[in-house]
Amino acid sequence: DADVTQTPRNRITKTGKRIMLECSQTKGHDRMYWYRQDPGLGLRLIYYSFDVKDINKGEISDGYSVSRQAQAKFSLSLESAIPNQTALYFCATGQELTDTQYFGPGTRLTVL
Amino acid sequence: GESVGLHLPTLSVQEGDNSIINCAYSNSASDYFIWYKQESGKGPQFIIDIRSNMDKRQGQRVTVLLNKTVKHLSLQIAATQPGDSAVYICAENRRGNFNTFYFGSGTKLNVKP
């Protein structure tokens, strides 16, 4: 969905490096989410934010941090990447009234 | 149906046939459900949703059925086309600790020409 963009789309890094994944949206939604997807598993929530001053941990927040720089921008950081953080990462946006979430194209992260 | 694990369940259908993809959800308190389509290399795309006060909802070529008694959700695709080949994921809003969605691992739909 072109309304939700993620950069980079692919990244290969080494253990111990700091990585930032960025998400931008033009949908005007207040809510933003970060998920990871592993082969054969459902999307799992890392962090979410309901507005610029609101940050909440999801079910698998350990090893990650986020920053909500503006309504349209929500970044995910891996302070010290480890191999089991190799996964597909998706950003999503949503609005309260409909609950529906809209996903970005994903970032494929490989940690060696 | 959907399951957690390394291998996704796969449904193979002939082009033109109808497809039925099933999903079992776990929380009777869930009140909103979404079906997503995820094509290779892309993020999940919204297909259709349903709230718990309904048992059926129709879209263009797709129908979602909700059976709250047995906590079961299904997605029916009419006249399946090759472009429907993808992984289909159901999501439930459990209204729990995170006030967001829990996603199944998905079912892979393979449409044979």
Side-chain angles (χ1 to χ4, degrees), chain B residues 1-83:
Chain B
E2 298 198 1
S3 63
V4 174
L6 293 177
H7 301 288
L8 296 179
T10 299
L11 175 66
S12 293
V13 299
Q14 206 68 39
E15 181 179 359
D17 287 351
N18 297 333
S19 302
I20 300 176
I21 299 170
N22 298 303
C23 175
Y25 65 93
S26 58
N27 192 331
S28 56
S30 296
D31 62 359
Y32 181 57
F33 305 86
I34 300 178
W35 278 102
Y36 287 93
K37 174 185 180 183
Q38 186 175 19
E39 296 174 282
S40 182
K42 297 184 179 180
Q45 290 178 280
F46 173 89
I47 302 173
I48 192 167
D49 59 359
I50 189 167
R51 295 201 178 271
S52 58
N53 61 352
M54 304 173 69
D55 52 21
K56 180 179 180 179
R57 190 160 189 226
Q58 289 184 290
Q60 189 177 17
R61 278 202 309 120
V62 294
T63 300
V64 55
L65 298 177
L66 175 62
N67 185 331
K68 294 181 287 292
T69 302
V70 295
K71 298 199 285 285
H72 184 269
L73 194 68
S74 67
L75 176 71
Q76 300 178 0
I77 305 173
T80 313
Q81 302 167 1

Side-chain angles (χ1 to χ4, degrees), chain A residues 68-93:
Chain A
R68 184 81 184 265
Q69 301 95 321
Q71 187 206 37
K73 295 184 183 295
F74 192 37
S75 60
L76 175 73
S77 294
L78 287 68
E79 298 301 325
S80 179
I82 56 178
N84 77 0
Q85 290 178 312
T86 294
L88 267 173
Y89 289 85
F90 289 100
C91 172
T93 73

Side-chain angles (χ1 to χ4, degrees), chain B residues 86-101:
Chain B
V87 174
Y88 289 82
I89 299 169
C90 68
E92 62 175 302
N93 188 331
R94 291 184 188 171
R95 302 293 181 190
N97 292 337
F98 307 117
N99 196 30
T100 185
F101 288 91

